[in-house]
Amino acid sequence: MKNKVILIFLLLISFSGFTQNLTEKEFVILTFEMDRNKDSHGTFIYYWVAELKKYEKVDEYKEPKIYSLFLHEFYGSEQLESCCLGNVSYPYTMTTATATEFNFPENHSEYLTELRELVKKNREKIQVIKKEWKNGYKEKVTVYATSIRGKLCECEFGGDTYLTKGDRISFPKGDYEIIKDYLTKEKRILLFKDFSDFDYSNTDYRTGK
């Protein structure tokens, strides 16, 4: 039971407009934890999703499809609803002109907290990136992978903050279950991927672990 996030409210219709037919799939949640020795206030954490798919006629895996995953509640509920309907979402846009709402289910924050804890407890370290500058600044980014099974609301990003317009973004929905021994020998393309130049800053800074 500890390897599952089970919250009944997300099995119900939490938002009146959620009609996208989501299918359960297997994927890897990537966690980027960044620490700096100066002008830093704790550990900055970012989440992404990596999907592994094979070529049609060759028994090999393609370069992983990687896109943003939002596991912190910083967006309006209407943007979550828009994404789950398959429409363009503007998670960083919060103005009266766009009628930003926060009509989340009562336990939505707890759901995200549990999911973050599930990801952290079952992750595997896949890379450590260290950078150092002449002025004494140092940065260390640790990349973790958590293999998981569940559903995602996936859609197009429509803003111009952190990400690029047209990028794919996603929000978690429903139950999640850890997949043991997912990154087998034939799937290790993700483990050998170099994230040194990967722009992982896809959300507001979130400190702490």
Side-chain angles (χ1 to χ4, degrees):
M1 187 67 69
K2 66 179 181 180
N3 284 337
K4 292 186 178 181
V5 175
I6 303 178
L7 291 174
I8 298 177
F9 80 93
L10 283 180
L11 296 179
L12 304 176
I13 302 177
S14 301
F15 299 91
S16 60
F18 279 15
T19 58
Q20 186 182 28
N21 184 21
L22 303 178
T23 58
E24 187 177 78
K25 57 183 177 180
E26 298 179 346
F27 50 89
V28 177
I29 293 180
L30 297 172
T31 304
F32 293 81
E33 292 192 350
M34 187 267 284
D35 290 286
R36 290 174 175 167
N37 66 329
K38 296 183 179 181
D39 64 24
S40 176
H41 301 283
T43 299
F44 303 154
I45 303 176
Y46 310 88
Y47 299 97
W48 291 72
V49 166
E51 287 190 55
L52 298 177
K53 295 184 179 180
K54 288 185 176 181
Y55 291 100
E56 293 183 4
K57 298 181 179 180
V58 182
D59 191 21
E60 295 180 1
Y61 283 88
K62 303 177 182 178
E63 180 73 13
K65 172 187 175 184
I66 300 176
Y67 52 94
S68 293
L69 173 64
F70 296 142
L71 294 186
H72 285 280
E73 187 181 312
F74 64 90
Y75 43 82
S77 59
E78 81 285 351
Q79 299 306 327
L80 172 59
E81 180 176 3
S82 179
C83 189
C84 287
L85 286 169
N87 300 325
V88 177
S89 181
Y90 299 78
Y92 303 105
T93 302
M94 295 187 184
T95 65
T96 54
T98 55
T100 299
E101 300 177 353
F102 297 93
N103 298 324
F104 296 103
E106 184 178 353
N107 50 356
H108 187 64
S109 293
E110 288 81 358
Y111 166 73
L112 294 178
T113 298
E114 285 195 29
L115 183 51
R116 292 196 302 270
E117 291 176 353
L118 181 74
V119 169
K120 182 178 179 179
K121 289 179 180 178
N122 295 277
R123 65 191 186 181
E124 174 183 355
K125 184 187 296 184
I126 61 175
Q127 187 176 4
V128 176
I129 305 164
K130 294 183 179 180
K131 297 181 181 181
E132 185 172 351
W133 293 269
K134 292 182 179 180
N135 57 8
Y137 280 83
K138 295 181 181 180
E139 178 180 291
K140 183 177 78 170
V141 179
T142 307
V143 188
Y144 299 93
T146 307
S147 304
I148 209 161
R149 180 184 293 109
K151 296 179 181 180
L152 290 173
C153 290
E154 182 184 346
C155 63
E156 179 182 337
F157 176 69
D160 57 5
T161 303
Y162 292 106
L163 302 171
T164 302
K165 184 176 182 179
D167 285 351
R168 305 301 294 178
I169 60 175
S170 63
F171 300 85
K173 191 177 191 304
D175 298 346
Y176 281 82
E177 182 179 2
I178 295 299
I179 307 174
K180 296 295 185 181
D181 303 318
Y182 179 75
L183 294 175
T184 55
K185 183 176 180 181
E186 66 271 15
K187 297 178 183 176
R188 294 179 67 84
I189 183 173
L190 180 60
L191 300 184
F192 294 120
K193 183 174 178 59
D194 186 4
F195 291 95
S196 299
D197 296 323
F198 186 78
D199 185 5
Y200 51 82
S201 301
N202 61 340
T203 62
D204 294 324
Y205 285 148
R206 301 287 172 174
T207 61
K209 296 184 180 181

